[in-house]
Amino acid sequence: MAKNELPSIGGLSFESLKQVNDHGAEYWSARDLQPLLGYSQWRRFEDAVRRAITSCEQSGNNPEHHFAGAGKPITGGKGAVQIVQDYQLSRFACYLIAQNGDPRKPEIAQAQKYFAIQTRRQELSERLAADRERLELRKQTSEEFKTLSGAARQAGVQNRMFGIFHDAVYKGLYGGLGNEQIKARKNVPANEQLMDRMNATELAANQFRMTQTRDKLAREGIRDQQQAIRAHEQVGKEVRAAIKRIGGERPENIPAAEHIKEVEKRIKTATPRLELDERDASGLLGGKSEGKDTNK
């Protein structure tokens, strides 16, 4: 079994269990899906279905488009046919059930990997995605700052000159403004770190100039303190010139963003909305949604 596939039961795979309803929409029977996800008891599996319905609603999507109650005929031991409770599930519903299933079951763990790759979705709202991008960039610039400081030390910059060394690149990148002047221009309190108030674009520019300075110090074998400071400022000027050539915003003109700690708090407490494209959002309606004229 490939690592990105669900286990098969009796030769039946997840995709082979797919059916098509009267709207032309694909769906899966919850009763068929139950053994595939490692559940022997319906009541246990239905608990996961109910949790998935709640998650669907909390994610900003309409559960009625993804979970439809249905009856499934099963044949008993003496040939008697009995109608049991079932659900018709959209692909998105199957994904949510996997996310809300018993994580101790290897079938659930495999299903979560499968749907992480196969389900057509956009998991995060644009706001949360932007927050994550900015937080990741801030972490990267923090690590790069430490690496650059080590490279500067090897290039001959003494500890007492580190402030001047790092300020030099700001002057190059920000049109002659040093760290404190940039803070004053952007109304950033003196006791805050400037990079904690940079947006993703500004952080990316600063990360780039740090990596370029580090490489320049190593490539040119610089071992002189003043030469290292001049090299750092020159890299800042070159990055600024590149921004100007492509029509980008000068970094000193980019407004201060909210503090990165607030972004981190928001990410930790956020309940991600699952924003689906129109086809997936309509689920079992097969591309039709309420209030839309589909007969044009």
Side-chain angles (χ1 to χ4, degrees), residues 130-139 192-193 195-200 203 257-267:
D131 282 348
R132 288 184 181 276
E133 178 189 18
R134 184 181 164 209
L135 182 60
E136 181 60 29
L137 279 169
R138 182 64 186 100
K139 290 177 180 178
E192 292 184 5
Q193 292 189 34
M195 287 190 188
D196 285 342
R197 300 296 300 275
M198 292 182 183
N199 69 6
L203 282 169
E258 67 177 322
H259 200 285
I260 197 67
K261 288 183 179 179
E262 296 302 316
V263 173
E264 194 167 14
K265 288 179 186 176
R266 187 162 58 244
I267 290 173

Side-chain angles (χ1 to χ4, degrees), residues 13-68:
S13 67
F14 173 73
E15 294 297 340
S16 70
L17 292 173
K18 178 173 64 180
Q19 302 179 58
V20 178
N21 65 17
D22 293 339
H23 297 293
E26 61 183 18
Y27 77 92
W28 284 258
S29 160
R31 291 279 180 175
D32 291 344
L33 192 63
Q34 175 191 339
L36 202 66
L37 295 183
Y39 285 86
S40 58
Q41 298 181 39
W42 169 252
R43 64 183 181 87
R44 297 290 187 191
F45 185 66
E46 192 173 22
D47 286 342
V49 173
R50 291 191 179 115
R51 289 193 296 270
I53 292 173
T54 300
S55 293
C56 182
E57 188 171 19
Q58 290 176 342
S59 73
N61 292 284
N62 189 343
E64 294 181 0
H65 292 178
H66 302 280
F67 301 82

Side-chain angles (χ1 to χ4, degrees), residues 122-131 270-275:
Q122 179 184 346
E123 287 198 354
L124 302 173
S125 67
E126 291 184 4
R127 173 70 179 273
L128 188 56
D131 282 348
T271 300
R273 288 178 59 85
L274 301 184
E275 297 183 351

Side-chain angles (χ1 to χ4, degrees), residues 151-203:
R153 188 173 287 108
Q154 289 183 349
V157 179
Q158 300 176 15
N159 289 343
R160 62 185 178 83
M161 295 294 288
F162 263 62
I164 294 175
F165 172 77
H166 287 297
D167 212 42
V169 77
Y170 280 131
K171 291 180 178 178
L173 181 57
Y174 287 78
L177 301 178
N179 182 59
E180 296 305 319
Q181 292 170 302
I182 299 168
K183 285 184 180 181
R185 182 184 178 94
K186 299 190 177 195
N187 295 316
V188 174
N191 62 343
E192 292 184 5
Q193 292 189 34
L194 183 57
M195 287 190 188
D196 285 342
R197 300 296 300 275
M198 292 182 183
N199 69 6
T201 299
E202 194 174 359
L203 282 169

